[in-house]
Amino acid sequence: MTNRRTFFKSAGATMLGAAAVSRAGAALLPEAATQSSAAMQLPPLPPNGRPYQPIVTLNGWSLPWRMKNNVKEFHLVAEPVVREIAPGMKANLWGYNGQSPGPTIEAVEGDRIRIFVTNKLPEVTSVHWHGILLPSGMDGVTGLSQPPIAIGKTFMYEFVLQRSGTFMYHPHADEMTQMAMGLMGLFIVHPKDPRQFKVDRDFGFILNAYDIEPGSATPKVNTMLDFNLWTWNSRAFPGIDPFVARTGERVRIRFGNLTMTNHPIHMHGPHFEVTGTDGGWVPKSARWPEVTTDIAVGQMRAFEFDALAGDWAIHCHKSHHTMNAMGHSVPTMIGVDHGDVAKKLSKLVPDYMVMGDKGMHDMAEMEMPLPDNTLPMMTGTGPFGPVGMGGMFSVVKVRDEIKRGDFKDPGPYKHPTGTLASEYTADMPETVRAPAPKADANTLKVRKPTGHEGP
């Protein structure tokens, strides 16, 4: 097997640099497939080349290629796109081949691949192949390892895939704007031996976040922390696909984090093992059972579990990340008696309603008027009523009767007799509780500063 030093030495001598493609050469490019639907597209089996089991991209698809002289050729087009975040809301984003994130690139360890990148954005760009071993001139850092891809130009990247694993692609040009606008995608390299790390179902997605003011459709690219839409593959619940599997199947879920913060991803039901990172596969001796794994900014994770029948929630465990259209300056009104104030306001504002005096769950049930193109904070309905979730939330749906290759939503789970939590209606002894504390003149009051005025 070629070692790393030999690979980089020979690659530098034989591979083409990232170079602009001439007009005559452009006619020879592989077709740039496009997809505008936010529905999950089932990936076909590889038509040629080494065999592998394709992954299922959550609310996404895999980019087709053509084989030319034993080289797999792909064509990415960076361009403005319109992405449905969830039913009722669309966003003006930047992506590849009609979608944000762009299509998943899938290839096999040992493949030589050639990727053409055409720039249809309003500014220069590049593509960095995050986590992939390759020559420096293919690394995609504008100004450092390559010239920028000018507007309307096409560049070519070519390299040999040295190891299998879970990777990403994204720009290293005006990164603050381009990644905040959704320019990113998954890059999966399958093992040369298809029996290695084999699972029954393989899913993948990217964690991303946007700051889109209610009523608008374009992200604010200067936001550093206060995002209000937390998404998987640029989708928010209830627009995120479920993970569908058959009871007993071995399931892998891969994800990468291109937001501005970490995310503790928690799955209800079966315990899982972290089996892969962006550094490679985790040896079996180093794995341990988990129900939550934290993924930092710029990292990849893959975990596996044996599917257990039921509807199991999977979500980020930061509570604000499972809500939509969040406002960050809303005061907490729990326990505040609006009383006469609400009556007076309703005379002036007929549609006025009290919110948050007993908590926020009522907002999942109310049909509140919203600005156009805005999602409710909590939305989605299950078999027992409002789910009260948004953002980074989905469901692992496992059934005994699911067939191989079937990823359609099977609907609500039918709980076996005696396994469903229900109201207890028998007599209850009276519960003695301590009196609730009350504020007095000595209670410390703290007010969060709202500005930087004064000394």
Side-chain angles (χ1 to χ4, degrees):
M1 182 175 179
T2 304
N3 64 36
R4 189 182 303 183
R5 179 177 298 178
T6 306
F7 158 66
F8 283 120
K9 184 177 180 180
S10 62
T14 61
M15 285 191 179
L16 299 173
V21 176
S22 67
R23 181 172 299 177
L28 304 176
L29 296 181
E31 180 183 359
T34 188
Q35 177 64 249
S36 59
S37 170
M40 182 181 71
Q41 307 296 313
L42 293 182
L45 292 172
N48 47 46
R50 295 182 175 93
Y52 65 84
Q53 177 187 344
I55 79 160
V56 174
T57 305
L58 217 59
N59 294 104
W61 59 300
S62 291
L63 186 64
W65 72 82
R66 74 176 181 191
M67 191 70 79
K68 185 176 182 181
N69 299 326
N70 293 321
V71 179
K72 284 182 178 176
E73 291 188 336
F74 300 84
H75 192 176
L76 285 174
V77 178
E79 59 187 349
V81 303
V82 176
R83 176 67 161 176
E84 184 187 68
I85 303 293
M89 181 185 181
K90 295 182 179 181
N92 299 321
L93 303 179
W94 289 1
Y96 298 94
N97 299 60
Q99 282 207 350
S100 169
T104 297
I105 296 174
E106 294 191 75
V108 180
E109 180 184 13
D111 280 351
R112 178 183 288 272
I113 65 171
R114 183 179 298 131
I115 304 177
F116 298 92
V117 180
T118 299
N119 182 13
K120 291 188 178 181
L121 298 171
E123 66 171 359
V124 303
T125 190
S126 72
V127 181
H128 167 60
W129 315 100
H130 186 114
I132 293 179
L133 291 169
L134 37 59
S136 175
M138 298 291 171
D139 196 42
V141 182
T142 300
L144 175 66
S145 57
Q146 70 162 80
I149 306 175
I151 300 170
K153 300 295 183 180
T154 297
F155 271 47
M156 181 176 68
Y157 299 83
E158 184 173 336
F159 44 89
V160 175
L161 298 172
Q162 295 296 299
R163 60 174 183 169
S164 63
T166 306
F167 310 106
M168 300 182 283
Y169 63 91
H170 60 78
H172 262 304
D174 189 14
E175 188 173 327
M176 179 185 73
T177 298
Q178 296 188 13
M179 290 180 66
M181 290 290 289
L183 213 53
M184 57 192 68
L186 278 175
F187 198 132
I188 304 299
V189 182
H190 297 279
K192 184 178 297 185
D193 182 352
R195 297 169 298 179
Q196 189 179 26
F197 310 118
K198 183 175 175 58
V199 293
D200 297 301
R201 301 199 180 219
D202 204 344
F203 297 91
F205 62 93
I206 289 181
L207 292 82
N208 42 11
Y210 301 102
D211 183 11
I212 302 178
E213 291 187 347
S216 63
T218 302
K220 296 163 64 176
V221 299
N222 290 323
T223 299
M224 296 178 66
L225 294 175
D226 289 341
F227 296 90
N228 63 2
L229 285 171
W230 299 94
T231 62
W232 290 351
N233 258 33
S234 297
R235 294 280 284 183
F237 184 77
I240 299 176
D241 285 329
F243 302 83
V244 177
R246 183 185 179 95
T247 305
E249 286 186 322
R250 187 70 173 177
V251 179
R252 177 186 296 131
I253 297 179
R254 316 178 191 228
F255 46 95
N257 181 9
L258 287 177
T259 72
M260 298 284 278
T261 187
N262 67 304
H263 297 277
I265 302 301
H266 172 59
M267 187 178 75
H268 300 202
H271 297 180
F272 58 76
E273 294 178 327
V274 175
T275 56
T277 72
D278 31 0
W281 298 99
V282 179
K284 287 188 176 181
S285 60
R287 303 174 187 174
W288 67 90
E290 272 285 10
V291 296
T292 304
T293 184
D294 196 34
I295 179 169
V297 179
Q299 287 187 331
M300 309 292 301
R301 287 289 180 270
F303 65 69
E304 297 175 21
F305 59 93
D306 295 322
L308 181 65
D311 282 347
W312 307 110
I314 180 171
H315 58 95
C316 176
H317 220 295
K318 290 187 174 181
S319 57
H320 285 188
H321 295 184
T322 52
M323 301 180 76
N324 301 320
M326 278 291 297
H328 297 92
S329 300
V330 179
T332 300
M333 302 300 288
I334 295 174
V336 176
D337 183 6
H338 294 247
D340 293 337
V341 175
K343 293 179 181 179
K344 293 176 181 179
L345 282 173
S346 63
K347 294 178 180 179
L348 298 173
V349 185
D351 292 331
Y352 176 79
M353 62 182 70
V354 174
M355 294 185 298
D357 61 329
K358 300 177 183 65
M360 303 295 283
H361 184 74
D362 286 350
M363 296 187 67
E365 300 176 349
M366 293 187 294
E367 295 291 333
M368 295 176 56
L370 293 169
D372 290 341
N373 201 47
T374 301
L375 296 178
M377 287 175 62
M378 294 176 283
T379 185
T381 302
F384 303 104
V387 176
M389 291 285 189
M392 293 178 167
F393 180 91
S394 187
V395 182
V396 177
K397 295 195 170 188
V398 181
R399 305 289 187 272
D400 297 345
E401 66 276 9
I402 297 292
K403 296 180 181 179
R404 183 178 295 275
D406 184 3
F407 292 88
K408 297 190 298 293
D409 188 339
Y413 181 61
K414 296 178 181 178
H415 301 271
T417 302
T419 67
L420 177 63
S422 59
E423 181 184 359
Y424 181 78
T425 57
D427 293 337
M428 293 281 290
E430 185 176 350
T431 303
V432 179
R433 299 186 181 276
K438 295 183 178 180
D440 56 28
N442 297 319
T443 301
L444 178 65
K445 296 181 180 179
V446 178
R447 182 176 65 86
K448 180 180 178 180
T450 57
H452 300 281
E453 303 86 359

